[in-house]
Amino acid sequence: MKCLTTVFLLCISITVFSQTNFQGKAVYQSKTTVDPNFGGKQLSEERKKQILKRMKNMLEKTHVLSFTRSKSVYKEEEKLETPGTRGGFRFGGFTGGGVLYKDIIKGDLLESTEVFGKKFLITENEEKPKWELGSETKQIGNYTCFKATLLKKTTAFDWRNMRRRNQKDENKKDENKKDTSNVKKVIDDVEIPKEILITAWYTPQIPVSNGPGNYWGLPGLILEVNEGRTTVLCTEITMNPSEKIEIKEPTKGKEITREEYNKVVKEKMEEMRERFRSRREGNNRGGRSFH
C-alpha cells in the first residue's frame, strides 16, 4: 500500500514539475523556545516574563520562500512591533533579517545580512547535505511528507541552541571556584552543543530540492524543520501564481566568506563579553566600602 502511495505521489510530482512555469511561494512560521529557568535564581519570575515578552520578535518569525526549479530567495516578512516590545530584544548586537539566495544546482548560497550595524554579503558553496531518508510519514496540510534526519555542526554563537550546563558539572565547578564577590554571570550557566540532530519533513508532491533557510537537498520541498529548540513550519503554499516570481541575487553588503563572517561575529561577541566583564568588575569595586 505504501509503495502504491509513493508511486501516486511521484506521478503527481512529475506532472507538476513538467509545467513550464513551475514556481511557487511558501510561507514559514518559526518559533524558538527558551529554557524557562534561564538566569536561575538570579532573576525573578516577573523579570523573566518581561525578558521573554521583549524577545518575542526574535523568537517568533515569518519567512517567505520564493522558488523556481533551481533557485530560491528566503526572506523575513516584515511585521509591526507588538505593543510593549518597542525596539525588540537584540542578542549580542544582532539585528536579524536579511535575504538568503540559493542555487541548488550549483550549491551556491548567498546571504545578505546586517550584524553589529554592518552589512555583509556572505558567499559559500555547499555540498549536498547528507540526509538520512526515513520511511515514516505524516500529513502537513494537503501534503504527505516523509521524514529525513541530518547531523549538523553548530557554531560557537548559535544562541538558539543554548542550554544550561550539566548541573553536576556546575556544582563541581562551584566547589573549586573561589569567588569572594559571590557574583556569577548568566552566560557561565549556558553552553552550546557541538552538533545537533536535525529532523525535516519533505513532500515529493512539490518536487524541488529546497526548503527554509539553508536547508535543501531532499527529493521534495521541505515543509517542516525541527532544529534543537526551533521549529520551522510551512503554513501556506502558492503554486504557479499568476504574477511571475523573480529570483534575484542579493547585492548589498561587504562580500565575505562564511568562515570569515563567523570569525568576525566571534571576535565581536568576545569584545562584548570583555566589556561586560570590565563593567561588572567596575561596579563591584565601586560598591565596596573600605575601613
Side-chain angles (χ1 to χ4, degrees), residues 138-240:
K138 77 172 182 177
Q139 199 76 10
I140 298 179
N142 297 322
Y143 300 93
T144 299
C145 298
F146 292 82
K147 183 179 180 180
T149 55
L150 173 71
L151 202 58
K152 175 186 174 183
K153 292 183 178 180
T154 61
T155 60
F157 43 84
D158 188 355
W159 63 268
R160 294 177 307 167
N161 292 303
M162 282 184 177
R163 65 189 183 191
R164 288 179 63 82
R165 295 182 185 276
N166 184 280
Q167 194 60 46
K168 292 182 179 179
D169 293 340
E170 282 301 294
N171 292 338
K172 186 175 181 181
K173 182 191 293 186
D174 291 340
E175 290 175 2
N176 298 329
K177 187 177 180 181
K178 300 295 183 180
D179 188 355
T180 56
S181 65
N182 197 31
V183 175
K184 187 177 180 182
K185 290 186 299 180
V186 174
I187 196 170
D188 290 332
D189 281 339
V190 298
E191 65 178 354
I192 298 175
K194 293 182 179 180
E195 57 184 16
I196 56 175
L197 182 66
I198 308 299
T199 300
W201 296 90
Y202 68 95
T203 176
Q205 290 172 259
I206 305 178
V208 290
S209 184
N210 217 321
N214 58 355
Y215 292 109
W216 63 287
L218 286 168
L221 182 66
I222 300 172
L223 299 189
E224 180 179 337
V225 173
N226 297 298
E227 177 187 344
R229 292 182 176 274
T230 300
T231 296
V232 184
L233 178 65
C234 181
T235 58
E236 181 183 341
I237 297 176
T238 303
M239 295 302 302
N240 299 318

Side-chain angles (χ1 to χ4, degrees), residues 63-110:
H63 286 79
V64 177
L65 178 71
S66 301
F67 59 88
T68 61
R69 296 184 182 186
S70 60
K71 300 177 181 180
S72 69
V73 166
Y74 189 66
K75 185 177 182 180
E76 183 178 348
E77 191 176 73
E78 295 182 2
K79 59 183 178 181
L80 296 176
E81 291 181 349
T82 304
T85 61
R86 186 177 179 181
F89 184 98
R90 296 182 179 183
F91 183 86
F94 285 95
T95 58
V99 176
L100 177 63
Y101 167 88
K102 293 199 294 278
D103 184 328
I104 58 178
I105 301 299
K106 298 180 180 179
D108 290 338
L109 275 69
L110 192 60

Side-chain angles (χ1 to χ4, degrees), residues 115-127:
V115 64
F116 298 107
K118 294 183 179 180
K119 293 182 178 180
F120 293 95
L121 190 61
I122 308 166
T123 61
E124 58 183 321
N125 184 272
E126 283 194 352
E127 295 182 358

